[in-house]
Amino acid sequence: MKRFAVIDVGSNSVRLMFVADGKVLYKRLHTTRLGEGLANAPFLLPAAIERTAQAVADFYRQAKAENAEG
């Protein structure tokens, strides 16, 4: 059985989709607000970067625990 996980990083949230044999098994969402403050400054805030990096790391661990390939 082929198992894959996809992590999508956007300006407001990080999403995880886990697929096995071509079927979506589940989806998860962390709201991290990576783009917080971009209307007022041309750079990402360190706290927003940290929240987003932590969400990606959490999803990566979940994917590995589920034996995702790639």
Side-chain angles (χ1 to χ4, degrees):
M1 172 169 39
K2 298 258 184 195
R3 301 165 72 86
F4 298 94
V6 178
I7 298 173
D8 172 48
V9 179
S11 61
N12 193 53
S13 62
V14 178
R15 298 171 182 266
L16 169 71
M17 181 173 67
F18 195 80
V19 179
D21 286 336
K23 296 180 182 156
V24 175
L25 296 183
Y26 63 83
K27 296 178 182 180
R28 302 281 186 266
L29 169 80
H30 278 301
T31 301
T32 61
R33 300 183 331 269
L34 178 61
E36 176 184 21
L38 282 178
N40 301 319
F43 52 85
L44 298 173
L45 298 175
I49 294 169
E50 180 59 33
R51 287 190 303 265
T52 303
Q54 186 61 51
V56 171
D58 290 345
F59 284 158
Y60 176 80
R61 282 190 290 275
Q62 281 183 320
K64 291 306 259 182
E66 294 275 2
N67 298 315
E69 295 182 28

